[in-house]
Amino acid sequence: MQRAQAKMLREYFSGVPVESLSKRYGYSIVKIKTLATEYKKGKIDIFDNPQKRRIAMSIMTHQEEVQLLQDKIRALEDALKLSNIKAEGFEVMMRILKDEYGIDLSKKVEAEQSKNSRKDTRK
């Protein structure tokens, strides 16, 4: 396959309109679509060896990136589980303090400031 045809097909598959390619390269629209069909069937190749290596490297890099993201997701899921366990433990401790010892540590928005702390802040 000629270099010009390969370049034209790469542009075609990247989304350049076939009419524009026909004018630029001098091939009929039917010929361009025929070449595209032959490429899809595997009869022709539009990439040379250096381009194939770059594509393979980018795919490997993509696979590595996917693996990295999956590892990050697992780490975040583990951190979320731990955080949920800690929050549940805190709630249990708060309930025990309130039920068994009568101590309510939950913050009340409308609670007034104690008399002792008012004296300390005025000094």
Side-chain angles (χ1 to χ4, degrees), residues 96-104:
I96 290 170
L97 280 172
K98 185 176 182 181
D99 294 346
E100 292 187 17
Y101 298 100
I103 300 171
D104 188 9

Side-chain angles (χ1 to χ4, degrees), residues 66-82:
V66 167
Q67 183 61 45
L68 180 68
L69 290 172
Q70 288 173 339
D71 292 344
K72 284 184 179 180
I73 289 171
R74 273 188 228 103
L76 288 170
E77 286 173 341
D78 291 343
L80 179 61
K81 286 178 188 175
L82 182 60

Side-chain angles (χ1 to χ4, degrees), residues 14-111:
S14 70
V16 177
V18 70
E19 294 82 9
S20 173
L21 294 172
S22 176
K23 290 177 187 173
R24 187 179 315 150
Y25 290 97
Y27 292 101
S28 71
I29 293 174
V30 174
K31 175 69 175 174
I32 295 171
K33 290 185 178 184
T34 302
L35 288 170
T37 303
E38 289 178 1
Y39 169 73
K40 287 180 183 178
K41 290 180 180 178
K43 294 181 179 179
I44 59 173
D45 194 6
I46 61 174
F47 298 102
D48 57 13
N49 286 333
Q51 290 171 328
K52 288 179 185 178
R53 278 193 294 276
R54 280 196 303 270
I55 291 168
M57 290 300 286
S58 70
I59 289 171
M60 268 193 342
T61 304
H62 177 71
Q63 289 170 343
E64 290 169 354
E65 185 178 355
V66 167
Q67 183 61 45
L68 180 68
L69 290 172
Q70 288 173 339
D71 292 344
K72 284 184 179 180
I73 289 171
R74 273 188 228 103
L76 288 170
E77 286 173 341
D78 291 343
L80 179 61
K81 286 178 188 175
L82 182 60
S83 177
N84 286 339
I85 290 170
K86 285 180 179 179
E88 188 176 332
F90 178 75
E91 289 173 7
V92 168
M93 288 182 356
M94 293 291 286
R95 192 170 43 246
I96 290 170
L97 280 172
K98 185 176 182 181
D99 294 346
E100 292 187 17
Y101 298 100
I103 300 171
D104 188 9
L105 293 179
S106 58
K107 200 171 200 178
K108 295 183 176 146
V109 177
E110 297 175 305

